[in-house]
Amino acid sequence: MPGTLVVIPTFNERENLAAIIGRVRAAAPEASVLVVDDASPDGTGALAEEIAASDASVHVRHRAGKEGLGAAYLDAFAWALDRGYDVIVQMDADGSHRPEDLPGLLHALDADAATPADLVIGSRWIDGGRIENWPKRREWLSRGGSAYARRALRVPTRDTTAGYRAFRADALRRMPLDDVHTRGYGFQVDMLWHAHEAGFRVVEVPVTFVEREHGRSKMTIGIVVEAMARVTAWGIRSRFARRGTGD
Ligand SMILES: Nc1nc2c(ncn2[C@@H]2O[C@H](COP(=O)(O)OP(=O)(O)OP(=O)(O)O)[C@@H](O)[C@H]2O)c(=O)[nH]1
Ligand SMILES: [Mg+2]
């Protein structure tokens, strides 16, 4: 029975995969898991198949090569919407997004929550949000990037780059996903901006973000530059569009 799907994109996460799936299954036993692997050279895809063979709630998608996080998520969204899941969660494989925070994210989507959301963001930069094991330099880069995107795009969210998110599927279905072109790290900002423009109710809940212990970061300076350049261009474009409509 469709319900909640936790999407875990992977590229060379063999050391992390079994642990993260185990923790998701423990924290949210009713949720299914979809691993989206971009032909990881370290064999993450084969390991995902092994796990799926012994757990019917775990699914795997294999993509031909490394095309970026955004491409993997768009593929997963289409897969999940096709199959009628009600809630779609984004989660990194490296343990930065703690599965134990998942019930809090899902609760904010509930109809009986104080302000039921279309999109819930696991936020580092609101009261109660924390980060563990990040060098100050990384913290300031992330805070600065979030603040810049918030101002440039006029979105109300504190953590605009966070990758730990939960979408209500019916809201995601209304989004123009074909207009989301960012494939790298800016994908998160791109999606948030489109969600905001589409009138989504976006709610932030505090999470503890933990730096990866195993494996290597796929974050590069090129990814940061792509994100900053795009945010600047979107900000300018949306201002002109508003002026054009007299807003
Ligand atoms: N399928 C797929 N997954 C990816 C790709 N790039 C990154 N990922 C996954 O996306 C998640 C986030 O990537 P990370 O490398 O952790 O990026 P980050 O969190 O910004 O950087 P660090 O935590 O410092 O390593 C991880 O689960 C990665 O394995 C990609 O091109 N394709
Ligand atoms: Mg990470």
Side-chain angles (χ1 to χ4, degrees):
M1 240 250 311
T4 299
L5 181 71
V6 179
V7 179
I8 306 179
T10 55
F11 190 76
N12 288 346
E13 301 286 2
R14 202 181 159 84
E15 291 166 292
N16 294 313
L17 190 66
I20 199 74
I21 293 177
R23 286 169 63 191
V24 170
R25 304 288 289 123
E30 70 295 345
S32 300
V33 172
L34 174 66
V35 177
V36 187
D37 185 66
D38 278 12
S40 296
D42 76 346
T44 304
L47 175 60
E49 287 296 348
E50 271 174 45
I51 297 171
S54 62
D55 183 345
S57 299
V58 178
H59 309 277
V60 189
R61 273 184 77 70
H62 300 278
R63 293 165 52 77
K66 185 168 179 356
E67 285 182 35
L69 188 68
Y73 270 126
L74 289 171
D75 183 287
F77 292 163
W79 188 92
L81 292 176
D82 254 11
R83 282 160 185 76
Y85 285 95
D86 305 308
V87 170
I88 299 162
V89 177
Q90 302 180 187
M91 183 186 286
D92 287 357
D94 60 4
S96 290
H97 303 152
R98 296 188 315 166
E100 297 71 26
D101 288 330
L102 190 51
L105 263 76
L106 296 178
H107 179 70
L109 286 178
D110 277 353
D112 65 352
T115 42
D118 295 314
L119 164 59
V120 180
I121 299 196
S123 179
R124 296 160 288 188
W125 313 131
I126 58 170
D127 279 352
R130 294 198 317 124
I131 42 171
E132 277 179 12
N133 300 335
W134 254 17
K136 273 285 167 221
R137 200 170 47 89
R138 184 87 200 252
E139 176 175 345
W140 287 113
L141 183 67
S142 178
R143 277 185 187 272
S146 254
Y148 181 70
R150 176 182 151 83
R151 294 218 176 78
L153 301 176
R154 300 179 184 176
V155 289
T157 323
R158 288 279 150 195
D159 194 336
T160 58
T161 60
Y164 198 7
R165 299 179 174 189
F167 288 92
R168 189 188 295 285
D170 56 16
L172 199 52
R173 227 179 268 283
R174 295 198 312 267
M175 262 187 59
L177 292 175
D178 291 345
D179 292 348
V180 177
H181 299 297
T182 317
R183 292 299 176 257
Y185 176 78
F187 171 76
Q188 311 295 3
V189 184
D190 201 344
M191 283 294 290
L192 174 65
W193 184 48
H194 276 93
H196 181 65
E197 298 269 297
F200 275 32
R201 290 160 297 175
V202 181
V203 170
E204 286 179 278
V205 302
V207 295
T208 298
F209 180 97
V210 186
E211 174 61 333
R212 72 159 66 239
E213 271 181 51
H214 305 290
R216 297 218 350 234
S217 175
K218 280 106 222 162
M219 173 90 125
T220 62
I221 191 71
I223 291 176
V224 177
V225 169
E226 182 205 35
M228 295 293 269
R230 282 187 186 245
V231 166
T232 304
W234 297 331
I236 292 169
R237 210 166 72 202
S238 73
R239 256 154 242 208
F240 274 111
R242 286 208 179 92
R243 199 167 298 161
T245 58
D247 179 7

